[in-house]
Amino acid sequence: MAIERTLSIIKPDGLKSHVIGKVISRFEEKGLKPVAIRLQQLSQTEAEGFYAVHKARPFFKDLVSFMISGPVVLMVLEGENAVLANREIMGATDPKKADKGTIRADFAKSIDQNTVHGSDSLENAKNEIAYFFRETEIQTYSA
Ligand code: IDP
């Protein structure tokens, strides 16, 4: 089993519905350790850059507006197969299709306000972590 790091974001709806603690507990309970955490208001430029891969999609403008509608929690999660493990804990993009017990099924309102972001590959995780965190902001600690 490989120890990986992945980027997690608790989106503005997660802060407005006061589930930061519950979301982080889901990760910790499944062996994903937060090794960096920051609360941040993203600028439009930061949100557009982060979601640049979706630039041509019809929902891009609304996605960016939503992501800057309030602060987010940026986190680096570390653990065994962290990229896939995080995606499983998050659930499907559309909360209506997400399995029961996943973060999106339990806390998200809609596909465009779906509470969490998680990197979808190890390569993207590396780039997304570097987009928001310097290596010196990421800590290590054992169980
Ligand atoms: P993911 O967050 O599950 O990886 P992506 O396909 O990478 O899903 O899309 C990024 C984000 O864009 C989603 O989390 C969701 O908030 C938004 N999004 C994706 N597809 C749609 C859509 O069809 N309508 C509205 N928003 C969407």
Side-chain angles (χ1 to χ4, degrees), residues 53-136:
V53 65
H54 294 307
K55 211 166 166 175
R57 309 285 286 279
F59 57 81
F60 180 71
K61 206 165 161 257
D62 288 345
L63 175 60
V64 169
S65 307
F66 167 62
M67 289 301 287
I68 64 173
S69 65
V72 297
V73 176
L74 303 169
M75 278 184 289
V76 179
L77 300 174
E78 186 179 271
E80 278 179 10
N81 295 322
V83 173
L84 186 62
N86 180 34
R87 298 286 302 186
E88 286 174 359
I89 297 165
M90 287 163 56
T93 308
D94 183 351
K96 291 200 282 292
K97 296 182 185 154
D99 290 338
K100 235 178 118 188
T102 61
I103 291 170
R104 282 167 165 171
D106 293 349
F107 303 129
K109 294 175 194 67
S110 61
I111 191 167
D112 45 348
Q113 300 204 10
N114 60 3
T115 315
V116 277
H117 165 85
S119 311
D120 62 2
S121 70
L122 195 54
E123 193 191 345
N124 285 343
K126 287 187 176 135
N127 292 333
E128 291 180 358
I129 290 168
Y131 190 81
F132 287 119
F133 290 98
R134 292 191 299 271
E135 196 56 38
T136 52

